[in-house]
Amino acid sequence: AQKFRFLAAFILGGFVLSSVKIWTTRRMRYRSLNGKTRTLLVMLFSLIPTDIEDHQLMYERSVLARWTILGYELSILEARGQMDTEDGRDYLEALNVLRADEWEMMTEGDRMTTVWMWINRKAKRLQMSGYIDNHDLASISQCVTYMRDNGMNLVATLYEDNPLPYVYICAMLVNINLLIQTIADGLQWGIWWNDSNGAIYIQMRMYIA
């Protein structure tokens, strides 16, 4: 029993360390995605000029901002395994970042990449219209690339979880260890009860042993 407990503790220790590492990596990638989203928004609103008299330009700015949030939310939904679900669609519509015809226009299974392509194409049209220069376009495209990379890195953590057989083995070891401990304590308490003629319940060792 002692050797089994040592083995169980050794394996469970490795499981805990692995789980903490996976959790930490996922949190770091999530934080990085948040930072890249803010960076892209700052770049869009800094490089694309503001002209309240130019209604088309102001509309394009608002669409790019909405698509940025849409791409971000799609990345989160994909990491949760809900990107192509109706619940995911309802969530995006509730946030008012998805228009009715956009869902069908996205590539199923890779919707967020479709959104990044939309942003690059619209930025290219703004550059061709003279609103931004080539350097601005390159800066926006680079930010979009970073956004996609960080989104894919977050999704990749889905495939970095502990293998199910390993999880089941750890769960089985915990259950076996609990069973052994329960039987051992039960036998010990039974001996104490017999030796004390039932008075063990008023002795401290019953509760702190």
Side-chain angles (χ1 to χ4, degrees):
Q2 191 66 27
K3 292 182 179 180
F4 178 82
R5 291 178 183 176
F6 176 80
L7 175 63
F10 181 79
I11 295 178
L12 291 177
F15 177 78
V16 171
L17 288 175
S18 175
S19 298
V20 171
K21 180 180 178 181
I22 292 172
W23 180 87
T24 303
T25 301
R26 188 168 297 169
R27 294 295 297 180
M28 291 179 61
R29 291 176 179 176
Y30 174 69
R31 183 178 62 180
S32 179
L33 179 63
N34 288 339
K36 298 303 181 183
T37 302
R38 296 188 183 97
T39 300
L40 178 56
L41 288 171
V42 169
M43 294 293 289
L44 290 173
F45 285 110
S46 298
L47 299 178
I48 301 175
T50 302
D51 185 356
I52 59 176
E53 300 297 330
D54 191 335
H55 299 293
Q56 182 62 31
L57 176 61
M58 300 305 293
Y59 172 74
E60 300 291 357
R61 281 167 54 95
S62 66
V63 170
L64 285 170
R66 180 174 61 82
W67 282 349
T68 300
I69 303 302
L70 176 60
Y72 167 80
E73 293 293 346
L74 282 170
S75 299
I76 299 300
L77 287 173
E78 184 172 5
R80 295 174 177 172
Q82 300 177 347
M83 184 179 64
D84 292 319
T85 65
E86 287 300 319
D87 288 340
R89 178 176 182 173
D90 293 342
Y91 171 75
L92 295 173
E93 290 178 343
L95 291 179
N96 199 30
V97 296
L98 178 68
R99 297 297 179 261
D101 59 335
E102 291 177 343
W103 184 260
E104 287 74 17
M105 296 171 61
M106 298 178 190
T107 301
E108 186 173 353
D110 200 12
R111 297 182 185 275
M112 65 177 182
T113 299
T114 305
V115 176
W116 304 139
M117 181 191 67
W118 290 348
I119 294 176
N120 274 330
R121 289 178 61 185
K122 189 171 288 293
K124 177 62 178 178
R125 286 198 294 268
L126 290 174
Q127 183 266 337
M128 294 176 64
S129 300
Y131 289 112
I132 59 176
D133 58 29
N134 292 334
H135 182 268
D136 295 337
L137 176 62
S139 297
I140 293 174
S141 297
Q142 186 178 45
C143 287
V144 172
T145 300
Y146 289 153
M147 280 285 294
R148 184 183 184 279
D149 289 345
N150 279 267
M152 295 305 295
N153 286 338
L154 182 63
V155 173
T157 57
L158 292 176
Y159 308 101
E160 296 174 359
D161 287 334
N162 289 316
L164 286 180
Y166 181 44
V167 176
Y168 293 150
I169 290 174
C170 291
M172 181 183 66
L173 288 175
V174 170
N175 291 330
I176 293 176
N177 190 52
L178 289 175
L179 177 63
I180 293 175
Q181 189 66 40
T182 300
I183 293 174
D185 288 344
L187 292 174
Q188 185 179 41
W189 292 345
I191 295 172
W192 288 349
W193 184 87
N194 183 70
D195 292 342
S196 63
N197 293 323
I200 185 63
Y201 294 103
I202 61 176
Q203 298 178 11
M204 289 298 297
R205 63 173 177 168
M206 178 65 181
Y207 306 100
I208 63 174

